[in-house]
Amino acid sequence: MRWSARLTGAPWRATPPPGAGGDRGTPSGDAVVVPSPRDPTNHPGQPDPPDALDPTGVLDPHRPQDLREVLNRIPAPVAVTYGPLHQLGYANRAYRELFGERPTGLPACDALPELGTLGVLPLMDQVIRGGSPRSVKARCILGLTGNRYYNVSCVPLTRDATHAEPGAPAPAPVPPPATATPAAPPSPAPSGPVGPVGDDPTSGVLIFAAEVTDQVLAAARLRESERRQREAAVTLQRSLLPQKLDQPADLRVAATYQPGGAEAAVGGDWYDVIAIDGGRTALVIGDVMGRGLRAAAVMGQLRTAVRAYARLDLPPHKVMSLLDGLAMEIDANQIATCTYAVWDPHRRTLGYASAGHLPMLLRCPDGTVLRSEEQNGPPLGTGGGVHISHTLRLLPGTTGVLYTDGLVERRDEDIDQGLDLLARTLAGAVGAPDVICSRLLRAMGVTSEHDDDVAVLAFQLPAEEASPERMPALDPATQEV
C-alpha cells in the first residue's frame, strides 16, 4: 500500500530499491536517509516530535526516506488531512511556526480554523469529491509572525496498491484513525459519494501554502504609484482645461470632461471656447493619442497654440496646418485629432475644419440630426496633409455637439453603432447645452469607471422665428490649402 502526494512543479526522487543501500539504517552513495522518529535506531528516551502523530498511516514511518521528514524540511506550511471530515493527520514545522501547535485527529474545522477563514475548507471538499487539485491565490494569513500572503493549494492524496514493491504482501486495511485528544469524538462513517477510507481512491488532502507576500506588497506599491500618477495627470489635465467658458450673447455653450476610471490612464482630451474679432466665437475639441502625463502635457501645448492661432483671424484649415507642424515639433511620435470651428453670428455660418476627428452632429429645430461627412484632413502630427474648410448655414435653435472618441467608442462594438446611438439620443435631447451634455453622458453609459476619458462640447443658437425653407446646408464654396 502506498500513499503519494505530488505538488505542482515539485519533482520527486524515487525511493531507492531494497538492498540498494544495504539495510534500512545504512545509507549508500549520495542518498539522504533520515531515520523515522519511530525507528528503533533513534536515541533511547528521545520523545516523538509532533510530526510523528500520524494516525492514518498516510506518511509511512518505516520508509527510509520518510515523507513526513521531507515535508518537515519544506519552508512552506504543509498540512495533511484524511477522511471526509478532513481530520488533521500532520502539520509540518513551518505550519506550526505560522499558526502554533495543532491537535491531530480533529476535523479541520476544529484543528485548522485558519483554513475556514481563508475559504479553503470548501476546496478540500471538492478535492475529495473530484480528485483534482484546487487552489486560491493571495490570501492574507494572520499568523504568529503577522500578516502574510499565500497561494494555497489543496492536492489529493491517492491510494495506489499497484506501486507496491515486488514480492511485498498485500496491503492491510487501514485501521480507524485514533484521535490525539481524548475528548474528540470518533469520525462517523462517510456516506454518499465518499466511501470508507480503505476504499476511496482519494482519501486525503495535502494543503500546501506558497508565500507570495513580497509579490502582493510589490503589486500594492505599484498600484499606489499608478494611483498617484493618475491623480497627478488628472490634476494637470483639469488645470489645462478652461476653468470658465466664454458665453457669447448670441451663442450658448457648455462643456464637460470625464476622466476614465481607476483602471484607465488619463488621456489628452480637451475643449475650448475662444472669443475672436468681429463678435465671432471659435469652438475647439481635440484628443491627443496616448495616456498619462505626457499626453496631458502635449494637449496643453496644442490648446495654447490654438488660442494664439485663433486670434490671427485665420481660416480653419490654416489653423489645422499650423497645428500639424507644431505637433510634429513637440513630439514626432505623438499624434492628435482636432476639430476647429468658427461661428459668425452676422452671417449665421459655422466654418470648420477637421484633422481626423469624429464628425460633428447638428440637431435642427425640427429634431433632424445631421452628421458632417465631409472629407477630413489627416490627424495632427502626421505632416504634409491637406486640410479643408467647410461652411454651414445654421437655423436659429440649432444645437451642435463636438465630442471625443471615448463617448462613442467601445471595445466590443463597431464605432458606427456608437455614432448611431449618439445621434438618436441627440434627436430627443432638449434643454440647455449643459443639460444636453449630462444627458448624452448618461445615455452613452459614461460613468466614473469608464475605460476612457471623454470630452463633450455642446453649443446652441437662440431660437427665433425662421422660414421652413431655411435649413442647415453645406456651403458649396470650400477653402483648401
Side-chain angles (χ1 to χ4, degrees):
M1 180 185 302
R2 292 292 178 87
W3 288 83
S4 64
R6 182 175 182 180
L7 303 180
T8 304
W12 288 87
R13 296 177 57 186
T15 303
D23 57 14
R24 292 188 182 274
T26 307
S28 64
D30 296 330
V32 179
V33 180
V34 181
S36 167
R38 295 180 181 175
D39 198 297
T41 59
N42 283 352
H43 296 291
Q46 181 178 357
D48 285 350
D51 297 345
L53 298 176
D54 179 19
T56 65
V58 170
L59 307 176
D60 188 355
H62 301 295
R63 291 171 58 184
Q65 285 183 311
D66 192 353
L67 180 58
R68 176 180 51 245
E69 290 295 337
V70 174
L71 296 180
N72 203 46
R73 292 169 178 262
I74 296 177
V78 177
V80 175
T81 65
Y82 58 91
L85 296 181
H86 312 298
Q87 293 166 269
L88 178 60
Y90 173 80
N92 73 343
R93 181 181 296 109
Y95 197 101
R96 299 193 306 271
E97 290 176 351
L98 183 62
F99 296 110
E101 296 296 333
R102 290 292 181 261
T104 58
L106 294 180
C109 58
D110 298 324
L112 308 173
E114 57 276 358
L115 299 185
T117 304
L118 297 174
V120 177
L121 293 180
L123 298 184
M124 298 168 64
D125 293 333
Q126 296 175 21
V127 170
I128 289 291
R129 290 194 301 267
S132 57
R134 296 289 188 271
S135 62
V136 292
K137 295 183 178 181
R139 294 300 173 92
C140 180
I141 295 177
L142 178 59
L144 300 179
T145 58
N147 286 340
R148 314 295 293 175
Y149 292 87
Y150 289 85
N151 291 344
V152 184
S153 299
C154 299
V155 183
L157 290 173
T158 59
R159 184 189 303 272
D160 189 354
T162 61
H163 290 82
E165 298 176 4
V174 179
T179 61
T181 305
S187 302
S191 61
V194 180
V197 175
D199 299 331
D200 185 24
T202 303
S203 299
V205 179
L206 185 144
I207 301 97
F208 177 84
E211 185 171 3
V212 291
T213 303
D214 292 341
Q215 296 91 317
V216 171
L217 295 180
R221 289 192 295 268
L222 178 60
R223 287 193 298 269
E224 177 63 19
S225 175
E226 291 176 345
R227 184 190 64 80
R228 291 195 299 266
Q229 185 179 27
R230 180 180 180 278
E231 289 180 352
V234 170
T235 301
L236 175 62
Q237 178 87 348
R238 292 192 181 279
S239 67
L240 295 175
L241 293 174
Q243 304 302 307
K244 184 178 180 181
L245 295 179
D246 293 334
Q247 293 291 338
D250 54 356
L251 189 68
R252 292 184 293 176
V253 294
T256 184
Y257 172 75
Q258 175 66 56
E263 300 299 326
V266 175
D269 293 14
W270 92 92
Y271 58 83
D272 209 348
V273 177
I274 309 166
I276 55 181
D277 292 341
R280 295 171 298 167
T281 302
L283 308 170
V284 188
I285 194 80
D287 185 2
V288 177
M289 300 297 104
R291 304 290 179 87
L293 291 171
R294 180 59 182 169
V298 172
M299 177 274 289
Q301 296 178 73
L302 292 178
R303 176 177 175 262
T304 301
V306 171
R307 295 187 71 88
Y309 297 152
R311 290 180 169 84
L312 296 178
D313 198 16
L314 298 173
H317 70 278
K318 287 290 187 182
V319 173
M320 291 291 101
S321 297
L322 292 174
L323 286 176
D324 183 33
L326 177 63
M328 294 186 63
E329 294 178 4
I330 295 174
D331 189 342
N333 298 320
Q334 195 86 48
I335 64 174
T337 64
C338 180
T339 294
Y340 176 82
V342 177
W343 165 248
D344 187 338
H346 304 293
R347 299 180 180 179
R348 307 195 68 81
T349 59
L350 183 72
Y352 69 96
S354 176
H357 203 76
L358 292 169
M360 174 173 51
L361 296 183
L362 295 172
R363 180 170 62 83
C364 305
D366 62 356
T368 303
V369 175
L370 304 178
R371 182 188 305 181
S372 60
E373 297 287 0
E374 301 86 357
Q375 178 183 358
N376 283 342
L380 305 178
T382 56
V386 176
H387 296 89
I388 302 174
S389 291
H390 305 278
T391 303
L392 291 173
R393 294 190 300 271
L394 303 184
L395 283 175
T398 298
T399 299
V401 175
L402 299 169
Y403 51 93
T404 56
D405 58 358
L407 184 65
V408 295
E409 192 173 34
R410 301 294 180 268
R411 295 179 181 179
D412 55 347
E413 296 179 358
D414 187 87
I415 193 171
D416 287 336
Q417 294 179 258
L419 290 172
D420 292 340
L421 176 58
L422 180 62
R424 292 194 301 270
T425 304
L426 180 60
V430 294
D434 57 338
V435 176
I436 292 175
C437 288
S438 300
R439 182 169 180 178
L440 294 181
L441 290 179
R442 289 196 304 270
M444 301 303 295
V446 177
T447 66
S448 58
E449 298 302 321
H450 195 55
D451 61 357
D452 195 5
D453 51 348
V454 176
V456 180
L457 174 63
F459 60 93
Q460 192 174 73
L461 277 63
E464 296 178 3
E465 293 295 331
S467 58
E469 64 272 9
R470 294 179 60 192
M471 295 293 294
L474 184 66
D475 194 315
T478 60
Q479 297 176 332
E480 184 174 320
V481 175

